Amino acid sequence: MTDVADRATAGFRREFGAPPAGQWAAPGRVNLIGEHTDYNDGFVLPFALPLRTVAAADRQEGARWTVWSELSGETIDFGADEVDEPGRVAGWGAYVAGVVWALREAGHDVPGARLAITSDVPLGAGLSSSAALEAAVLTALVDLGGLDLPAERQPRLAQRAENHYVGAPTGIMDQSASIRCRDGHALFLDCRSEGVEHIPFDLRGAGLAMLVVDSHAPHRHADGEYAARRKSCEAGAERLGVPALRDVTVDQLDTALARLDDPETRRRVRHVVTEDQRVLDTVALLRAGRVREIGPLLTASHVSMRDDFEITVPEIDTAVEAALAAGALGARMTGGGFGGCVLALVEADAADPVADAVTAAYAEQGFRAPDHLTVLPAPGAVRLT
Ligand code: GLA
């Protein structure tokens, strides 16, 4: 298959009979650590994948947007009337219309445009294909229209598209990762201030590799469960009298837990508070160049997601256990949960044996065979041409 950017340009020419004015690429992400902390005003540490969504685009007259998607094979077309009424553009088109809507809502004079969209980010694997689509479209429209919207303000806007237009109550991590990550670095994001620090993450220099295993576990009730976790966290914060769970530190945790009488809320709160601390500990190790030592923090994060936040599924737990048994230095589910991918930090020469061990464990359990790839931190959204 040809390169994702070449396919976007070829698709644009075929659909619209002219070359595009430019191409904009935005990546999917994995989260190294810090799960379900973003909507609790806490800390996350994602990095961008070398898998990207590309928008080849050009301006067109009037407030009209015409969009071809390689994946669906459809071309959709909508104007300002449809955009201004959330719900009128559905399916994948809602992510595109949502970005136009959020820009207009924020007072920007959004240029009409034709876009051709291609992607290497697998759908439904928990690698943020939706944020990659939003970010590719957003950066294209910002550049085509010369809009005054610096990169640090773009994630909030893309998140608004997802929350209010598409209707998914997600936090700000995925859009921030897709837009703000840097090559060779993980993005340490404070989700309250939106301040970032680019943390060098030199896997190769440390003789290590990051294996990403796609569990292929079907997403079971993921949307409802995500919303329920978010509600529990908000209830916990309210009961504790803090603006968000970010405001509880690990030193205060025991006292805080003693004030909560619902055992489920206690578990949810314990996950978020300890997970924030694990992000800070991981960042401290990476800043000191002690990459190899982050393994146990990754595994502890997984245990917390499994036992306290209760968002893992048998396929995911099997992948983590098999990876650890085969010598991974640490392993955890990444992303929102109920399926998706597992990260395993491994010695550079152990990536294949660990992947084989996971595949064998899946066969033994009768699960559909997993896919895997090894990844290095890649750049965030860029204009390609
Ligand atoms: C999904 C959401 C993010 C974040 C993660 C869990 O990826 O889109 O905002 O909440 O789940 O960490």
Side-chain angles (χ1 to χ4, degrees), residues 29 31 34-39 128 170-174 226 335-336:
R29 62 98 189 94
N31 187 19
E35 224 62 84
H36 287 262
T37 45
D38 60 353
Y39 57 79
S128 286
T170 53
I172 194 148
M173 170 169 71
D174 303 342
Y226 185 95

Side-chain angles (χ1 to χ4, degrees), residues 29 31 33-39 44 126-128 130-131 159 162-163 168-175 226 230 271 275 305 309 311 332 334-337:
R29 62 98 189 94
N31 187 19
I33 196 161
E35 224 62 84
H36 287 262
T37 45
D38 60 353
Y39 57 79
V44 294
L127 299 178
S128 286
S130 51
Q159 184 203 11
E162 181 137 356
N163 290 174
T170 53
I172 194 148
M173 170 169 71
D174 303 342
Q175 293 80 6
Y226 185 95
R230 200 170 169 154
H271 166 72
E275 184 77 351
M305 290 190 287
F309 222 60
I311 52 173
R332 64 183 290 276
T334 185

Side-chain angles (χ1 to χ4, degrees), residues 69-145:
S69 149
E70 177 186 53
L71 195 73
S72 78
E74 298 163 277
T75 301
I76 58 168
D77 179 74
F78 51 86
D81 289 355
E82 286 116 307
V83 169
D84 292 344
E85 220 182 284
R88 294 225 3 225
V89 184
W92 62 271
Y95 294 93
V96 181
V99 167
V100 175
W101 171 83
L103 280 168
R104 286 167 64 87
E105 272 262 314
H108 295 284
D109 184 13
V110 188
R114 301 185 295 194
L115 302 109
I117 312 265
T118 55
S119 185
D120 283 343
V121 188
L123 294 190
L127 299 178
S128 286
S129 57
S130 51
L133 174 55
E134 291 154 4
V137 171
L138 178 60
T139 47
L141 293 175
V142 166
D143 279 357
L144 285 174

